[in-house]
Amino acid sequence: MGLTRRQFVTGLAGAGAIAAGASVGASRFLNQRGGTPIPLVTSDAHAMTGQLRNFTLTAAPTKIDLGGTIVETWAYGNQLPGPVLRATAGDRVQIAFKNQLPQPTSVHWHGLAIRNDMDGVPGVTTPQTPAGGSFNFDFVVPDSGTHWFHPHTGLQMDRGLYAPFIIDDPREPGGYDLEWIVVLDDWTDGVGPSPDENLAKLRAAGGPANGNGGGMMGGMGGMGGGMGGMMSADGGDVSYPMFLINGRATTDPDVLLAKPGQRIRVRMINASADTIYNVALGDHMLTVTHSDGYPVQPVTTQAIRIGMGERYDFLVTLKDGVFPLVAAPSGKSGVARALVRTASGTAPGASAQPSELDSTPLTADALRVAPGAALPARDPNSTQELVLSGSMAPYVWTINGATYDHTSPLTIRQGETGRFLIRNMSMMSHPIHFHGHTFQVGGAGGTGPRKDTVLVPPMAAFPIDLKADNPGRWMVHCHNIYHAEAGMMTRLEYMI
Ligand SMILES: [Cu+2]
């Protein structure tokens, strides 16, 4: 069952032959097994084992100080990131949500395998909340970890609408002195074009779409798109004027205070719409302990690579001084930066780049699942493909050759183990996110990490397995929010 690292991320030698076909129709993919999709599930599969916790949450237009630059944007609780929600695994959570935005919105609880009708996807699970309206969320939070929430409506997430959702595990040993939540974001709203203007530009630069991506090869990471000049394959599609850590630009960065020798648990969330980062703390090593909330065998590294929607928890024992915590956007100019301070002294200059960023950053394929966190070893009941492709011109991104409005959903039956063979046929990385489930990268019972969002490098292919234990209909999509809007979404539907 377990795959070697070489098998895990495999360059697709034969990819060109498949991609060369002008049209890769959905019929080429063996994903349809018949049956009837079950209706929306409106009861909780998880028993409440803990407390009832009540929260209020408001989305509204507001002014935010990004560190000397004040912008008008949309945010939760008039702050950036939004207010941290926190509960313990097994708690029942009730969230009274108010929408004071001028548009309908939604709230998706990213990483939480909660009951289907509370998942927050308009048209699929939860009704949108109209402008001026409200919605009462009510669900049990089954799994601990570093999670977050954001809208599942258009490009709203690329404004200031995001916040951490931390689920504690009372059985977890801890072993640290302080905890810091560190949220990364790429920022344009109020300082550059709005997210909607950026998408309009991408579509205009790409020329008219023919209504269906057709599995077209392409996606040269911005090189053909005319935005932001030359970018690498991981440079995303949009140029951002600013990158933020905890809502602060480099001009007046967030300062994280501790004492020398203290051991810190950092819960890092990449809330960006279009940016992958390499992250390092100057003069320190990072010991990664969790990916997307699930424990991994601790591994120590100089730098971590984090895609959109992913979370990594790491431990760091602090030295004496002032150190830059830097998230370098992959293939883009600019930087996100905070300061870690354990002593008085001069802060490193704004251009100080930790030498740790010169190393090869740790990626998910180097992680090994912690004992007890693997899915039970089991041959999959079905294997389905998830072929990622698209192009900058026209600006269309597809799963299995189809945009979302033409998608043939993935299917599963309750109790099954489903295997999904993700094959990236494009020259960009795509963070693929499953709602309502956490999969094991590389296969059930193997050594790969449990995740809900996995960054799939250009032309790479690997399997993921998930256990069908949370019935309903669920989104599966690229967490580059521009790709998602341009079609790179499908659903996983439980069948009768
Ligand atoms: Cu993508």
Side-chain angles (χ1 to χ4, degrees):
M1 272 314 220
L3 298 177
T4 66
R5 184 166 177 186
R6 178 173 296 181
Q7 288 167 316
F8 175 91
V9 177
T10 312
L12 282 180
I18 299 169
S23 149
V24 181
S27 60
R28 293 269 300 270
F29 306 97
L30 301 172
N31 290 347
Q32 290 301 293
R33 292 186 300 148
T36 307
I38 65 168
L40 184 68
V41 176
T42 59
S43 59
D44 222 306
H46 313 285
M48 174 187 175
T49 57
Q51 295 183 47
L52 175 65
R53 291 185 198 261
N54 282 279
F55 300 99
T56 59
L57 181 70
T58 301
T62 188
K63 285 196 170 86
I64 299 285
D65 182 354
L66 303 177
T69 304
I70 294 171
V71 294
E72 292 189 15
T73 188
W74 297 352
Y76 295 119
N78 299 314
Q79 64 180 79
L80 191 70
V84 177
L85 299 188
R86 191 152 200 152
T88 298
D91 288 352
R92 180 175 169 186
V93 170
Q94 294 179 325
I95 303 157
F97 173 66
K98 283 195 176 65
N99 178 17
Q100 295 177 356
L101 302 172
Q103 289 178 8
T105 191
S106 53
V107 191
H108 167 59
W109 316 97
H110 183 126
L112 298 173
I114 59 169
R115 74 185 232 201
N116 191 221
D117 64 332
M118 294 288 149
D119 192 52
V121 180
V124 179
T125 53
T126 316
Q128 65 183 7
T129 305
S134 59
F135 189 86
N136 292 320
F137 289 93
D138 186 344
F139 49 82
V140 173
V141 291
D143 302 307
S144 63
T146 301
H147 307 299
W148 62 300
F149 57 94
H150 59 78
H152 224 281
T153 300
L155 299 166
Q156 290 178 0
M157 198 197 87
D158 202 18
R159 302 189 190 231
L161 294 164
Y162 58 83
F165 201 149
I166 309 299
I167 309 297
D168 291 303
D169 177 357
R171 299 163 304 173
E172 206 170 63
Y176 48 90
D177 302 304
L178 290 175
E179 177 198 282
W180 293 338
I181 300 172
V182 173
V183 187
L184 312 179
D185 190 22
D186 47 14
W187 191 272
T188 186
D189 200 28
V191 288
S194 73
D196 294 308
E197 286 166 348
N198 274 330
L199 181 60
K201 282 187 191 183
L202 287 164
R203 285 185 163 143
N210 60 8
N212 184 340
M216 218 165 300
M217 183 64 178
M220 294 305 290
M223 280 186 271
M227 292 191 66
M230 291 292 283
M231 292 174 169
S232 77
D234 285 330
D237 295 347
V238 174
S239 293
Y240 286 86
M242 287 184 178
F243 298 93
L244 311 179
I245 290 183
N246 292 344
R248 309 295 287 185
T250 53
T251 43
D252 186 9
D254 193 21
V255 180
L256 301 158
L257 297 171
K259 296 188 180 79
Q262 279 189 320
R263 196 165 157 87
I264 314 295
R265 178 184 191 162
V266 177
R267 296 177 178 270
M268 180 165 283
I269 301 166
N270 184 356
S272 301
D274 181 65
T275 306
I276 302 162
Y277 301 88
N278 296 333
V279 176
L281 173 61
D283 211 18
H284 287 78
M285 298 290 281
L286 316 174
T287 300
V288 177
T289 59
H290 296 75
S291 71
D292 297 354
Y294 273 77
V296 296
Q297 295 179 29
V299 53
T300 299
T301 181
Q302 292 185 295
I304 300 171
R305 184 167 178 77
I306 182 168
M308 298 78 91
E310 287 189 297
R311 290 88 66 211
Y312 285 106
D313 291 21
F314 54 86
L315 294 170
V316 56
T317 302
L318 295 177
K319 297 181 180 176
D320 195 344
V322 192
F323 308 95
L325 174 61
V326 171
S330 195
K332 298 183 180 186
S333 55
V335 72
R337 184 168 164 272
L339 289 175
V340 170
R341 180 181 282 279
T342 64
S344 61
T346 312
S351 59
Q353 181 95 332
S355 61
E356 287 80 2
L357 286 174
D358 299 335
S359 67
T360 302
L362 181 136
T363 50
D365 58 299
L367 294 173
R368 295 287 170 265
V369 69
L375 283 176
R378 193 173 148 181
D379 286 332
N381 300 87
S382 65
T383 299
Q384 296 165 77
E385 291 184 290
L386 251 165
V387 177
L388 314 176
S389 56
S391 69
M392 298 298 289
Y395 191 71
V396 173
W397 293 95
T398 59
I399 294 175
N400 292 343
T403 51
Y404 183 61
D405 47 348
H406 296 102
T407 195
S408 298
L410 308 166
T411 59
I412 195 105
R413 289 186 177 83
Q414 186 159 10
E416 289 184 349
T417 294
R419 172 161 294 179
F420 300 92
L421 181 59
I422 306 180
R423 295 197 294 145
N424 185 353
M425 305 293 288
S426 80
M427 296 307 293
M428 289 187 77
S429 295
H430 301 281
I432 297 301
H433 174 49
F434 275 65
H435 286 212
H437 299 80
T438 299
F439 47 78
Q440 187 167 10
V441 180
T447 58
R450 293 285 298 275
K451 289 181 73 54
D452 56 64
T453 310
V454 65
L455 192 57
V456 188
M459 304 312 288
F462 51 79
I464 61 169
D465 284 3
L466 67 75
K467 192 169 184 303
D469 58 1
N470 196 15
R473 48 198 202 208
W474 302 98
M475 294 302 293
V476 176
H477 63 94
C478 178
H479 223 281
N480 180 316
I481 227 66
Y482 291 85
H483 292 184
E485 273 299 284
M488 205 170 219
M489 300 193 289
T490 188
R491 292 185 304 279
L492 172 64
E493 296 187 341
Y494 278 60
M495 308 297 276
I496 297 167

